[in-house]
Amino acid sequence: MTAVQAHLRAHPKHTHDAPDTSGAFHRIAELPDGSEKEALREEVVRAWMPMAERIASQYRNRGETPEDLRQVAMVGLVKAVKRYEPDRGSAFESYAVPTVVGEVKRHFRDHMWGLHVPRRVQELRNRVRTAVQELTRSPDDRSPSVRDIARHTGMAEEDVLVGMEALESFRTLSLDAALRGADDGYALVDTLGSTESSYERVVQRESLKPCLRRLPEREREILYLRFFCDETQSRIAERLGISQMHVSRLISRTCARLGEEVGARAA
């Protein structure tokens, strides 16, 4: 029989959920680090496991599996046993319960949200969720209004609205999910717009117009023939009575100057 089991048998007034392990904790505090100390800690953890399991069960039906909740609660219990200092005078349960609850809540906050939501918004969401449950007494009750929730909780209506929006942020919806009431396979992705590629071209053209107007007439004509009429450099040279090499140099020089002017305007 272990030391913890013997102590529990000698003190039957303590429940299975809240055993009296004060003697074991004092013994742990006296022992040096080593296998004996760790073994005694493990005994205390086993003794308090029902308490951790009870806390984990309070968070069921919130999107996490019961086994994962239990594992998270056990992590909190192990931390509580390792950090508890009996000489401070407080009972272990008063220290362990907040530690385990905090570990479970931290798990939900860090791992269960489909979107990154600030902690303040998460807390508003939890307050709104609890208020809705308290105000909805039966399935036939209407959903409480923003004003009802604000009056019930003492929250500002703006904070209630933020919390209500966050109610839908715990789980993300696939873009391929069919829209509610849609019988033709119309999905959420079909409602999203896309960037119009021509917008950038319009901006570029409008930026270029005043620069083109300031060009000498011959250079404007060369650019017009080359880029708007799709004429070759040889045809342009023949039409203007100059060499093809001269046309090539004029196009390169003019385009470079236009690029610099447009860039300067944008800056």
Side-chain angles (χ1 to χ4, degrees), residues 74-145:
M74 293 306 159
V75 170
L77 175 60
V78 170
K79 289 182 178 179
V81 170
K82 188 173 183 179
R83 298 172 182 173
Y84 176 63
E85 298 179 11
D87 293 340
R88 290 183 176 272
S90 60
F92 175 69
E93 186 175 11
S94 64
Y95 175 78
V97 170
T99 302
V100 175
V101 170
E103 193 69 26
V104 174
K105 288 184 175 180
R106 190 178 303 109
H107 174 76
F108 276 97
R109 185 181 72 240
D110 296 341
H111 301 286
M112 295 300 294
W113 286 80
L115 297 175
H116 175 70
V117 179
R119 184 171 183 177
R120 174 180 175 275
V121 176
Q122 294 182 28
E123 292 172 350
L124 292 176
R125 180 253 187 199
N126 293 335
R127 292 180 65 184
V128 168
R129 176 179 175 274
T130 301
V132 170
Q133 292 175 341
E134 293 174 350
L135 293 172
T136 307
R137 303 299 181 184
S138 69
D140 297 331
D141 286 349
R142 67 174 180 85
S143 298
S145 66

Side-chain angles (χ1 to χ4, degrees), residues 10-265:
H11 298 80
K13 66 178 181 178
H14 293 283
T15 66
H16 182 60
D17 187 74
D20 182 6
T21 53
S22 56
F25 274 116
H26 283 290
R27 177 62 178 154
I28 290 172
E30 296 171 354
L31 287 172
D33 293 339
S35 58
E36 184 179 358
K37 188 171 188 175
E38 288 303 314
L40 191 53
R41 278 177 175 162
E42 291 177 5
E43 289 185 28
V44 173
V45 168
R46 284 193 291 270
W48 283 93
M49 282 174 60
M51 180 271 294
E53 292 172 345
R54 171 175 56 80
I55 293 175
S57 68
Q58 296 173 358
Y59 292 86
R60 62 184 182 276
N61 300 326
R62 297 193 184 184
E64 184 60 287
T65 64
E67 182 57 30
D68 285 342
L69 280 175
R70 182 179 180 277
Q71 291 297 326
V72 173
M74 293 306 159
V75 170
L77 175 60
V78 170
K79 289 182 178 179
V81 170
K82 188 173 183 179
R83 298 172 182 173
Y84 176 63
E85 298 179 11
D87 293 340
R88 290 183 176 272
S90 60
F92 175 69
E93 186 175 11
S94 64
Y95 175 78
V97 170
T99 302
V100 175
V101 170
E103 193 69 26
V104 174
K105 288 184 175 180
R106 190 178 303 109
H107 174 76
F108 276 97
R109 185 181 72 240
D110 296 341
H111 301 286
M112 295 300 294
W113 286 80
L115 297 175
H116 175 70
V117 179
R119 184 171 183 177
R120 174 180 175 275
V121 176
Q122 294 182 28
E123 292 172 350
L124 292 176
R125 180 253 187 199
N126 293 335
R127 292 180 65 184
V128 168
R129 176 179 175 274
T130 301
V132 170
Q133 292 175 341
E134 293 174 350
L135 293 172
T136 307
R137 303 299 181 184
S138 69
D140 297 331
D141 286 349
R142 67 174 180 85
S143 298
S145 66
V146 173
R147 181 173 297 180
D148 293 335
I149 297 173
R151 187 183 303 115
H152 182 75
T153 60
M155 299 166 58
E157 291 188 9
E158 292 80 3
D159 288 341
V160 173
L161 289 171
V162 172
M164 293 178 73
E165 290 180 359
L167 287 172
E168 305 300 326
S169 300
F170 198 73
R171 281 287 184 267
T172 54
L173 182 65
S174 171
L175 291 177
D176 295 324
L179 292 177
R180 185 178 301 174
D183 299 326
D184 55 357
Y186 201 66
L188 182 61
V189 68
D190 298 318
T191 68
L192 302 180
S194 58
T195 302
E196 175 56 61
S197 58
S198 297
Y199 287 162
E200 184 66 24
R201 184 175 299 176
V202 170
V203 173
Q204 292 172 350
R205 284 182 174 178
E206 291 302 312
S207 300
L208 192 59
K209 279 182 179 180
C211 301
L212 289 171
R213 284 194 291 265
R214 290 194 295 269
L215 288 175
E217 183 178 351
R218 186 176 66 168
E219 293 181 18
R220 283 204 309 270
E221 184 179 3
I222 290 174
L223 293 183
Y224 175 75
L225 293 173
R226 180 69 186 92
F227 296 108
F228 290 87
C229 300
D230 201 26
E231 293 279 7
T232 65
Q233 292 183 8
S234 298
R235 293 281 299 273
I236 297 172
E238 182 180 346
R239 179 169 178 170
L240 298 181
I242 58 178
S243 69
Q244 184 267 332
M245 184 64 69
H246 192 186
V247 171
S248 177
R249 286 197 298 267
L250 285 174
I251 291 175
S252 298
R253 185 179 64 192
T254 304
C255 289
R257 187 200 312 167
L258 291 173
E260 292 175 358
E261 290 184 13
V262 171
R265 288 169 59 88

